Amino acid sequence: MQARTLWSLSVKSKTATSTAGVSCVWNRCKSDFLHKSIVPTDHFQKSLPRLPIPELEKTCSRYLDTQKAFLSDEKFQQTKLYTEMFEKEIGKDLHSKLVSIDKNNKHTSYITGHWFDMYFKDRRPVVLNHNPFMSFKPSPRPELNDQLIRATNMVTSSLKYCKTLRANVLEPEIFHLDPKASDTLKFRKFVRLLPKSLSFYGAYWYKAFPLDMSQFSSLFNSTRIPQQGKDKLYKNEKAKHLLVFRNGNMYVFDCLNDNGDILPTSQIMSNLKYILEDQSDRPSHPIGYLPTQDRDVWAQARQHLIENGNSMELDLVDTALFALSLDNVHADDLADLSKQYLYGDAANRWCDKSLSLLITPKGEACVNFEHSWGDGVAVMSYFNAIYADSNDNPVTSSHDDANAAPQVKKLEFSLNATNKADIDAAKAKHDEATSKLCLDFLEYEGLGKNDLKPLKLSPDSIMQLSFQMAYKKAFGSTPATYESSSTSAFKHGRTETVRPATLATNAACELLAKNSSRDEILVALSECSKVHGNLTRNAAMGQGWDRHLFALRLLAESEGLDVPLYSDESYRQINTITLSTSTLSSPAVAAGGFAPVVPHGLGVGYGIHDDKLGAVVTTYKPHNSPSDFLSALKESVEQIHAVVKS
């Protein structure tokens, strides 16, 4: 099951906006808070609608519609037969049971428990298999793009975000279909007066859709803990310290006082300066390698650490507010920098932390996060807020502010021969895995939203079409493709899959390959936009087919049932995601990426802006090379560009 969720928001509209900490109306505070929203953070949570379970007939129909883009007539008829049997017989019983289970669990969604299990039971390493990165654009103020200065400002902004969230005054995330009517002070004054049990419906009356906020609490003081068979998420909101990595060494220091107030800038900056200037040698056996390995192996290695007297040190790691990595590696270009962000020096990471902030010697910065606890809405809210606050309200712009006595504890682990052997094995496995990853990127100037929207073409659909074209050019087939869509408009919603490879994209690829007339191609592009828009809207409303069939399959497996639909080779192939994609939609994002989900696949993090577009592409040796796909992608974009601009 594909689990790349990343950044896609729940609904797409040419007039819609999402509250993300920059355009909202609130009371500004020159204090420990980013702001104080007049609408409480959890105001809509109680009245959020529940994620619907689609009708079985519609799920089966949508599944077959997707298969049409891949199968020959003969194979399609066989798959259609399996699907119709499923719909009329065993699937009908499974669906009834799923609906019954859902009715008895109204506090959550039908997919939530399964989704956590999917992550926590996965025994593969989280590095490359789950953890993505998002990099920040440089600060528009050059003096702030310094490692110590940016670290101090971003840590402080992160603490302000945390305090604002926990005080229940962080602006709730709301998707505004009509921003002029609802993204206003009048709207906020209206909905805050409504009871929590009714508040969603008041927002809906304004064509505003509050989003689920349940994941936000896991941003801080949260860590995935390895256990045999199934991991768990551990949180302790009482901890007040930050975990910092430098040259493979690990440090902690308090950022909050006993009252929960943020410590003075001089103290935080002095602590960070002390760490940056510490001349301690790199450990011969850095602990950071251990979380990079197979989860059962890591669980055993963790137990070995505990048995050797390291419980207190591990607790300081697990309970830290978040992790900060102060890297000392200089990247030559975006590709090298992206590799550093995606996996980098494992000695300088703790990949199980829910949230990690990485900052390079040049002040370049990114977020890398463990994916089990949440998806794009929570991470993007944090990302956008700290980018804006650290640039608009920096607490320092000079090293002179580091004028306090440092108060830092360096973590010293007691390592015996068994612990060292565990670390050596983890490092060998990690180095082997990351050495196979290839990463490259494309930046294309001149084609963007401003060129496509006047033609009533969806920018995202055109990007997805360009990926289909490129894959066909490079590899000669239609790939099983995944694009994530958030279902956060529902209580405990996670994601649904958009399937961008369709009959419409196949037809458009064929016309472009034949250099058909501009009018014919524009009609095909318009059809791609229409079909893709419908798929996206359905997914956002919980009306895709992936999650529903996924839940039914798990239910069948729990009962030991043999279901022909799920053993059909066509079902297996369409769920072997060879082209995994996710879009980045924020002015604060420079780039983002993740590894492929299958050895012969591609991972594509992409963005399209007003006048340009870009993509970060990953593959694994020896199966594929990013350059082959990117060369074909550039050619495909040029073809579309020629049609649009002519």
Side-chain angles (χ1 to χ4, degrees), residues 50-173:
R50 300 189 65 233
L51 182 68
I53 299 177
E55 297 175 19
L56 182 60
E57 296 81 1
K58 290 183 178 179
T59 289
C60 292
S61 175
R62 290 163 181 153
Y63 170 67
L64 289 175
D65 284 344
T66 299
Q67 288 284 20
K68 288 176 183 177
F70 299 89
L71 302 179
S72 66
D73 289 342
E74 182 181 353
K75 288 185 177 179
F76 179 76
Q77 290 304 319
Q78 183 65 59
T79 294
K80 183 179 179 183
L81 177 62
Y82 289 142
T83 306
E84 290 174 344
M85 288 170 52
F86 179 80
E87 179 185 332
K88 294 174 182 177
E89 299 171 7
I90 195 169
K92 191 174 182 180
D93 292 336
L94 291 171
H95 177 80
S96 296
K97 291 176 182 177
L98 182 64
V99 170
S100 178
I101 293 170
D102 185 55
K103 286 181 178 178
N104 291 326
N105 291 275
K106 293 184 178 181
H107 64 287
T108 187
S109 74
Y110 79 92
I111 200 65
T112 301
H114 295 314
W115 214 241
F116 274 114
D117 282 349
M118 181 192 68
Y119 279 112
F120 288 147
K121 290 182 178 180
D122 190 346
R123 300 294 83 195
R124 297 175 301 165
V126 296
V127 178
L128 300 187
N129 291 301
H130 292 302
N131 291 19
F133 80 88
M134 297 184 296
S135 62
F136 293 94
K137 287 183 177 178
S139 172
R141 298 173 57 178
E143 71 274 14
L144 301 183
N145 292 315
D146 167 273
Q147 188 172 30
L148 175 59
I149 291 171
R150 201 164 200 200
T152 304
N153 285 322
M154 285 192 154
V155 166
T156 303
S157 294
S158 299
L159 296 171
K160 290 164 70 176
Y161 185 98
C162 180
K163 287 205 63 178
T164 307
L165 170 66
R166 289 179 176 171
N168 207 32
V169 292
L170 182 73
E171 182 81 7
E173 290 291 310

Side-chain angles (χ1 to χ4, degrees), residues 526-541:
S526 179
E527 180 65 12
C528 287
S529 291
K530 177 183 175 182
V531 171
H532 190 74
N534 287 336
L535 291 173
T536 302
R537 282 188 290 273
N538 281 341
M541 299 309 294

Side-chain angles (χ1 to χ4, degrees), residues 549-561:
L549 288 187
F550 172 63
L552 294 177
R553 178 170 63 83
L554 293 179
L555 189 55
E557 289 174 355
S558 70
E559 297 184 3
L561 300 176

